[in-house]
Amino acid sequence: MFYLKRLQEHQKIFQRSKFWLGIFIVVLLCIILISIPPTLSQQPVVLNLLMTAPDAQPWKQFLIKDFEEKNPGIRINLIEGPNATNLLEDLYTSAFILGDSPYDLINMDVIWTPKFAAAGWLLDLSDRMTQQELAAFSPKDVEGGRVGGKLYRIPMRSDVGVLYSRKDLLKQAGFQPPETFSDLLKISLALQQQRKVNWGYVWQGRQYEGLAAMFVEVLEGFGGFWVNPNTLEVGLDRPETLQAIAFLKETVAKGISPPGVTTYIEEDTRRFFQSGQAAFLRSWPYVWPLANAADSPIKGKIAIQPMVSNALKTGGSCLGGWGLGIAKSTKHPEEAWKAIQYFTSEQAQRQFILSAGYVPSRRSLFTDPEIVAKFPYYPKLLEIEDKAILRPPIAQYDQASDILQRYLSAALTNRIAPESAMKAAAAETRMLLKTRGSRE
Ligand code: GLC
């Protein structure tokens, strides 16, 4: 009886001390948690961003490190994708369609916004920037990010098609820079005949988005058009389109362009030109710093100019460019906006342009003394940019581009006669625009 009583007393004491021990542990844990600095207790927010591998290099060298230093609670996870813009678009699109997109920031080519916005994949950024803040950017770049009056993409960098030439060879042979398509052919052939260079002209001829970008310039130079975004009229079966195709075919038929040109994307053409094998190259401004790098065989030997055009028509360069949007599915819209503000800021763009030679989206940088000292042709680039032509800003752009790419590639590689190819391309495009409704 006595033992039983003692045992019950012990149990009571044990339970009381267990209670106090529990309280003690809880209090201790609270003290530990409160005393840990917030930076250690909180995981940084990670923003996922996908871009083409060549584009990613200058981001990795400076931009991301600087942003993360200034914003210790945010990390940018940069994923490198394929080189061709349409393949990158496919990756973003399939991620959105599967419904669980891992991307927070969307690095968008200027041609993607109408489709991405119409599909409801992007956050509306209209209230995030004032009209005055937006006025610092090139108007065409801002327009490229607007759909149905709302803003979905802030321009990060612009882009315009340009013509590069070997100014050393032109000078030796006594030629002025070409102004027309026939000048381009004539000078190329002459330089090839004088054995100054193996090939005359390289351009992007593979069946991909770059083919469409290159083609709108030739089309414009012959006075033609692809799709009028206001009326949805299709110009692919007009005589100007056939003249544009005839010019490109002539470059191959006369041995001015290498036969492989119909399989080349930007980087293939840059390597070809940079190795000294061609007199002219159509590409984007990113080529300049690479072709002028210390180990480049053509360093200091090149000039840059607007795309040539048929003497009687106005020529034009294609407007390209990339900007940032925010995925509607992101859990971190505020952090994503902070990142956009930084990446599109004047200071970040200046560094980015100085290291990569890209085209600014902020107008003041085209004439910024530090930038002009390194890239003297930038003020000229602003003039080219202001006259640049947009690929049709319609929600069905990727399908319209796919139709053009398929038939144009077939015509250029002699699989279908140009006239039949363009008749079919025009008919399919008209059908697409009719069945999918009007402009977004
Ligand atoms: C460049 C341009 C982009 C274009 C692409 C075509 O990246 O900036 O707008 O679509 O080239 O290859």
Side-chain angles (χ1 to χ4, degrees), residues 44-47 67-68 71-76 334-336 338-339:
V45 164
V46 177
L47 300 175
F67 171 74
E68 289 180 347
N71 297 274
I74 311 177
R75 292 267 161 284
I76 305 287
E334 292 315 312
E335 287 83 356
K338 257 194 184 166

Side-chain angles (χ1 to χ4, degrees), residues 399-424:
Q399 291 160 74
S401 177
D402 184 64
I403 296 170
L404 174 64
Q405 290 166 37
R406 271 190 286 118
Y407 285 106
L408 181 56
S409 171
L412 293 173
T413 51
N414 305 320
R415 283 178 285 133
I416 311 185
E419 205 173 337
S420 327
M422 287 302 117
K423 259 196 187 140

Side-chain angles (χ1 to χ4, degrees), residues 58-73:
W59 283 73
K60 287 201 293 198
Q61 278 159 19
F62 167 80
L63 278 186
I64 291 185
K65 273 191 211 133
D66 193 49
F67 171 74
E68 289 180 347
E69 266 167 38
K70 294 190 167 107
N71 297 274

Side-chain angles (χ1 to χ4, degrees), residues 55 85 109-111 157-159 208-211 213 266 284 319-322 391:
D55 271 10
T85 172
D109 194 336
V110 66
I111 49 182
R157 69 172 176 94
S158 195
D159 227 356
Y208 81 121
E209 180 54 34
L211 177 67
E266 281 88 352
W284 308 93
L319 186 85
W322 296 77
R391 283 160 280 175

Side-chain angles (χ1 to χ4, degrees), residues 135-360:
F137 295 93
S138 285
K140 283 190 181 158
D141 287 329
V142 175
E143 267 327 291
R146 250 193 238 287
V147 183
K150 293 185 179 159
L151 186 69
Y152 293 95
R153 165 191 180 274
I154 310 293
M156 163 67 191
R157 69 172 176 94
S158 195
D159 227 356
V160 268
V162 284
L163 182 69
Y164 293 93
S165 62
R166 285 286 302 278
K167 65 174 183 197
D168 57 329
L169 302 183
L170 263 67
K171 202 170 163 208
Q172 283 164 25
F175 286 115
Q176 290 299 312
E179 283 178 4
T180 63
F181 293 110
S182 43
D183 287 349
L184 189 61
L185 297 179
K186 194 181 75 195
I187 302 173
S188 293
L189 275 176
L191 293 176
Q192 285 174 280
Q193 272 154 14
Q194 293 171 26
R195 302 205 178 283
K196 295 214 182 293
V197 77
N198 289 342
W199 302 97
Y201 179 42
V202 263
W203 42 278
Q204 295 79 41
R206 187 190 290 185
Q207 184 184 325
Y208 81 121
E209 180 54 34
L211 177 67
M214 178 281 306
F215 189 63
V216 290
E217 294 170 354
V218 184
L219 201 52
E220 178 83 7
F222 280 96
F225 69 96
W226 178 0
V227 175
N228 178 325
N230 299 315
T231 61
L232 297 186
E233 193 188 346
V234 177
L236 292 180
D237 47 1
R238 294 166 67 103
E240 296 86 355
T241 312
L242 297 177
Q243 286 168 18
I245 298 179
F247 161 74
L248 291 171
K249 282 178 76 89
E250 195 178 345
T251 67
V252 181
K254 290 204 168 137
I256 292 170
S257 302
V261 81
T262 50
T263 64
Y264 289 173
I265 69 169
E266 281 88 352
E267 277 296 83
D268 304 308
T269 56
R270 177 184 68 81
R271 287 192 201 100
F272 200 93
F273 181 67
Q274 195 167 320
S275 65
Q277 295 188 68
F280 296 102
L281 161 74
R282 180 268 165 215
S283 193
W284 308 93
Y286 86 98
V287 167
W288 181 271
L290 300 173
N292 278 304
D295 59 351
S296 164
I298 57 168
K299 180 180 186 307
K301 297 178 179 168
I302 61 172
I304 189 168
Q305 65 167 83
M307 190 56 197
V308 295
S309 70
N310 187 320
L312 302 172
K313 317 276 181 187
T314 55
S317 293
C318 174
L319 186 85
W322 296 77
L324 292 166
I326 303 179
K328 214 179 227 171
S329 53
T330 183
K331 294 191 180 66
H332 314 292
E334 292 315 312
E335 287 83 356
W337 177 246
K338 257 194 184 166
I340 292 185
Q341 277 178 309
Y342 169 83
F343 292 132
T344 60
S345 70
E346 187 170 324
Q347 177 228 354
Q349 277 206 355
R350 179 182 289 108
Q351 287 307 322
F352 185 54
I353 285 146
L354 284 170
S355 67
Y358 285 141
V359 185

